[in-house]
């Protein structure tokens, strides 16, 4: 099979893939690159999810790229606006011309003898096999399975006479006007769907097994708006970005350091929204500590407004079974519904299930250790964009892209063709890659690489720390093994 060669192949044209491309062409202008995108559109998450109300729950000053100001007054933005921002960025920098749409990567094999990856993909509706080679593989495929979301097995679903839908596969023709809707779940998707569907539905019930911490934030950032009037766009954006980075770091550290205080603040916030009579402890007081799972944000308290108006309500109970009319709950109560939405989450999937082979040996990712949260032990010339769990995804992906470019430039300067993180320190202990107790994380942990107990193997969920180490720290550290074209490991 003939193959086309690039210095770097980026897989995925979502938020991180477009950001990676910008950094590559700006910081490594002599390198050739292409983006292989499995779908027929760019935007990833922001193109795939089409459910009512789809929006970010991070502010766009930190979810947007560092290099391209977010100019919309809405700090918490809807899905179509984020998709448009990604598309406009790609068009502005000519990145759109580098994307091969409809190219789903299935396998990549590294050869140390050739110092290159051979990348197999399926192209177009016929899934025709195509082959590429590259010196460096940059995986920007997100973190979940695009094929299907997570739906638990409930007894009796086949009996249900209404519609059962999953937000990842929203049926565009679904008309829920005047219908009774039950949204199962209490995560970011559920709290987005409930107020959005309540605008047209007869009533929306959010059915949760257990509560989630929910905080209301203004959808518009008044300080950022004022700064835009006073400063040039780039400067105003940088100031708003830093303000929000520091704010989220402050609240995250407060939650970890003084969980009792943070619990009290969050409970108080909900009580103020819903009034003293509302059963806050039943529906909004989780058993776990804040940030053991991702904190949910509701812009301008929209969820609480829908509850106050009687258009939405929360039920905390367990599903016994589906019935013809709706749901039978463990408490004995019944919930009748015309539409049930399973906002039960995603299937976490790293590397998008791409089969990796290194010098003839298939890679078992769960045996690898993450290096600086962006590469993996014993896997050469491969980086992966994986964002923060406690802050905006793009903050980390921007830093990773800069670091990859520094690494590529270092290799070029020294004539290296291979870089491989090697974990040889006996004092480094393996730990779970993610410290969330959320179901989707726990289900996936056995298949994920580990992180180490200290640098450079530890994944720091801290932008300021990462900024210092990834922008200013040494690329040629003790864990990175470089190899020059002609021979074995190059002495550093
Ligand atoms: C509903 C929802 C809301 C979210 N809100 C926020 C938020 O507010 N803040 C935040 O920080 N994060 C949020 N996230 C996380 C979000 O996914 C990231 O913020 C970000 O959009 C991820 O961008 P990405 O480019 O890394 O991955 P994705 O957006 O998942 O894009 C990956 C791309 O890679 C392509 N791809 C995958 N596998 C292959 C393959 N084998 N071959 C070729 N192409 C492939 C996909 O088709 C896709 O286009 C949210 C996630 C969801 C699902």
């Amino acid at each position: 099979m003939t193959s086309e060669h690039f210095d770097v192949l980026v897989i995925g044209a979502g938020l991180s893939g477009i950001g990676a491309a910008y950094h590559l062409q700006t910081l490594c202008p002599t390198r050739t690159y292409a983006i292989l995108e499995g779908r027929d559109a760019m935007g990833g998450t922001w193109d795939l999810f089409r459910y009512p109300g789809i929006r970010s729950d991070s502010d766009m000053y930190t979810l947007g790229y560092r290099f391209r100001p977010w100019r919309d007054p809405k700090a918490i933005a809807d899905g179509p606006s984020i998709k448009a921002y990604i598309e406009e960025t790609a068009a502005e920098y000519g990145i759109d011309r580098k994307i091969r749409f409809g190219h789903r990567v299935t396998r990549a094999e590294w050869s140390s003898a050739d110092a290159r990856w051979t990348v197999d993909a399926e192209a177009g509706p016929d899934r025709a096999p195509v082959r590429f080679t590259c010196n460096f593989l940059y995986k920007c495929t997100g973190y979940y399975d695009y094929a299907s979301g997570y739906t638990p097995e409930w007894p009796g679903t086949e009996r249900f006479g209404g519609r059962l839908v999953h937000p990842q596969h929203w049926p565009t023709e679904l008309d829920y006007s005047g219908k009774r809707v039950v949204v199962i779940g209490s995560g970011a998707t559920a709290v987005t769907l409930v107020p959005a569907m309540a605008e047209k539905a007869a009533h929306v019930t959010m059915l949760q097994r257990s509560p989630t911490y929910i905080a209301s934030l203004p959808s518009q950032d008044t300080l950022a708006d004022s700064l835009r009037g006073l400063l040039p766009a780039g400067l105003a954006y940088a100031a708003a970005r830093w303000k929000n980075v520091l704010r989220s770091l402050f609240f995250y550290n407060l939650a970890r350091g003084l969980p009792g205080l943070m619990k009290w603040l969050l409970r108080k916030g909900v009580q103020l929204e819903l009034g003293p009579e509302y059963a806050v402890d039943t529906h909004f007081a989780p058993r776990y500590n804040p940030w053991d799972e991702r904190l949910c944000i509701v812009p301008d308290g929209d969820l609480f407004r829908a509850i106050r108006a009687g258009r939405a309500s929360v039920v905390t109970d367990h599903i016994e079974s589906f019935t013809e009319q709706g749901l039978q709950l463990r408490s004995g109560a019944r919930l009748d519904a015309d539409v049930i939405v399973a906002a039960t989450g995603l299937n976490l999937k790293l590397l998008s299930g791409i089969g990796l082979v290194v010098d003839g040996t298939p890679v078992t990712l769960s045996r690898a250790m993450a290096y600086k949260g962006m590469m993996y032990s014993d896997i050469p010339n491969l980086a992966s964009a994986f964002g923060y769990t406690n802050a905006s995804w793009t903050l980390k992906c921007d830093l990773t892209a800069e670091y990859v470019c520094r690494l590529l430039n270092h290799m070029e300067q020294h004539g290296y063709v291979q870089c491989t993180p090697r974990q040889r320190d006996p004092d480094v202990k393996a730990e779970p890659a993610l410290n969330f107790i959320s179901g989707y994380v726990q289900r996936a942990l056995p298949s994920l690489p580990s992180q180490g107990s200290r640098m450079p193997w530890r994944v720091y969920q801290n932008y300021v720390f990462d900024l210092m180490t990834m922008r200013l720290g040494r690329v040629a550290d003790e864990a990175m093994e470089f190899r020059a074209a002609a021979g074995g490991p190059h002495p550093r």
Side-chain angles (χ1 to χ4, degrees):
M1 193 190 293
T2 56
S3 61
E4 206 175 339
H5 183 79
F6 293 93
D7 293 330
V8 183
L9 270 179
V10 177
I11 312 177
L15 198 50
S16 62
I18 302 301
Y22 166 84
H23 283 91
L24 281 170
Q25 62 186 35
T26 310
L27 300 176
C28 306
T30 58
R31 304 271 175 157
T32 58
Y33 82 90
I35 305 179
L36 303 181
E37 167 53 56
R39 308 177 72 236
D40 292 325
M42 70 178 98
T45 298
W46 305 105
D47 180 58
L48 177 75
F49 281 85
R50 304 287 175 104
Y51 59 76
I54 170 76
R55 58 161 173 81
S56 68
D57 58 1
S58 304
D59 68 274
M60 289 306 297
Y61 302 107
T62 53
L63 190 59
Y65 303 114
R66 188 171 78 98
F67 59 86
R68 188 165 184 273
W70 173 259
R71 294 165 199 272
D72 194 313
K74 276 240 179 285
I76 296 197
D78 57 71
S81 308
I82 303 175
K83 178 171 149 66
Y85 171 78
I86 298 170
E87 286 171 340
E88 286 158 15
T89 306
E92 185 172 328
Y93 296 102
I95 297 165
D96 48 357
R97 295 194 296 273
K98 306 280 189 175
I99 306 174
R100 308 286 175 92
F101 288 107
H103 280 61
R104 175 148 299 279
V105 176
T106 52
R107 187 175 184 278
E109 175 153 11
W110 171 260
S111 156
S112 291
D114 303 326
R116 54 174 59 181
W117 287 97
T118 300
V119 176
D120 289 327
E122 296 169 344
D126 304 333
R127 303 170 78 173
V130 280
R131 181 164 280 182
F132 298 84
T133 55
C134 67
N135 302 104
F136 197 93
L137 197 54
Y138 196 168
K139 191 233 79 152
C140 297
T141 51
Y143 62 97
Y144 59 85
D145 189 356
Y146 268 66
S148 62
Y150 174 67
T151 311
E153 297 256 320
W154 290 296
T157 41
E158 70 291 343
R159 285 210 302 264
F160 178 51
R163 286 287 291 272
L164 172 62
V165 296
H166 194 286
Q168 191 165 327
H169 313 279
W170 195 262
T172 41
E173 86 300 341
L174 180 69
D175 181 11
Y176 54 89
S177 315
K179 302 258 168 72
R180 296 160 305 172
V181 177
V182 172
V183 176
I184 305 171
S186 59
T189 302
V191 304
T192 303
L193 274 165
V194 170
M197 294 186 81
E199 284 173 17
K200 284 203 286 180
H203 187 82
V204 184
T205 306
M206 182 166 103
L207 172 63
Q208 56 179 15
R209 259 191 324 201
S210 56
T212 299
Y213 286 110
I214 299 179
S216 173
L217 272 189
S219 63
Q220 230 156 308
D221 187 326
T222 43
L223 183 72
D225 290 348
S226 319
L227 288 174
R228 253 200 310 275
L230 296 170
L231 300 172
L235 214 56
Y237 181 61
R241 189 175 168 89
W242 268 108
K243 190 252 308 168
N244 290 351
V245 163
L246 296 176
R247 182 187 62 185
S248 68
L249 266 178
F250 172 77
F251 281 111
Y252 178 76
N253 286 312
L254 185 69
R256 301 319 279 173
L258 295 172
L261 173 63
M262 194 66 181
K263 272 184 183 180
W264 182 84
L265 284 172
L266 288 164
R267 188 189 177 286
K268 192 82 194 154
V270 179
Q271 192 85 73
L272 285 172
E273 291 275 1
L274 295 177
E277 304 304 320
Y278 192 85
V280 171
D281 289 329
T282 310
H283 301 309
F284 291 101
R287 285 184 294 270
Y288 59 85
N289 280 334
W291 279 113
D292 282 350
E293 293 190 15
R294 204 175 160 107
L295 185 79
C296 280
I297 298 297
V298 289
D300 304 320
D302 59 0
L303 173 71
F304 303 127
R305 263 188 286 124
I307 295 173
R308 276 201 312 267
R311 289 182 284 113
S313 53
V314 182
V315 170
T316 305
D317 207 327
H318 285 65
I319 296 173
E320 190 83 28
S321 68
F322 274 60
T323 63
E324 286 76 8
Q325 290 81 29
L327 297 165
Q328 176 64 54
L329 304 180
R330 196 186 284 174
S331 66
R334 295 169 60 114
L335 270 181
D336 288 349
D338 305 303
V339 177
I340 297 181
V341 184
T344 40
L346 309 159
N347 284 315
L348 212 137
K349 199 172 194 184
L350 216 60
L351 289 175
S352 160
I354 298 166
L356 291 182
V357 178
V358 171
D359 291 326
T361 306
V363 170
T364 306
L365 213 53
S366 57
R367 292 209 196 114
M369 188 176 272
Y371 167 86
K372 295 184 178 170
M374 52 161 280
M375 292 179 79
Y376 305 102
S377 55
D378 302 327
I379 307 183
N381 292 28
L382 178 140
S384 167
F386 198 91
Y388 292 120
T389 51
N390 64 351
S392 284
W393 188 259
T394 317
L395 288 173
K396 177 69 187 278
C397 294
D398 269 357
L399 287 180
T400 301
E402 271 184 53
Y403 194 89
V404 166
C405 292
R406 286 180 63 207
L407 186 61
L408 291 172
N409 290 339
H410 178 85
M411 290 171 73
E412 189 171 53
Q413 276 158 20
H414 293 81
Y416 299 145
V417 292
Q418 182 169 339
C419 62
T420 316
R422 301 279 189 205
Q423 204 307 83
R424 293 186 176 124
D425 183 344
D427 294 334
V428 171
K429 305 272 174 298
E431 295 178 6
L434 298 169
N435 62 359
F436 269 8
I437 58 165
S438 320
Y440 72 101
V441 172
Q442 293 301 318
R443 283 195 301 277
L445 270 183
S447 65
L448 299 183
S450 56
Q451 65 169 317
S453 50
R454 63 164 189 243
M455 274 178 82
W457 305 100
R458 189 150 194 83
V459 181
Y460 292 90
Q461 301 284 348
N462 183 321
Y463 177 66
V464 178
F465 180 85
D466 282 345
L467 183 75
M468 305 303 283
T469 51
M470 296 188 72
R471 193 172 290 163
L472 307 174
R474 274 188 320 138
V475 161
D477 65 19
E478 65 289 348
M480 184 62 86
E481 179 185 279
F482 291 100
R483 188 172 66 83
H490 195 281
R492 280 192 296 269

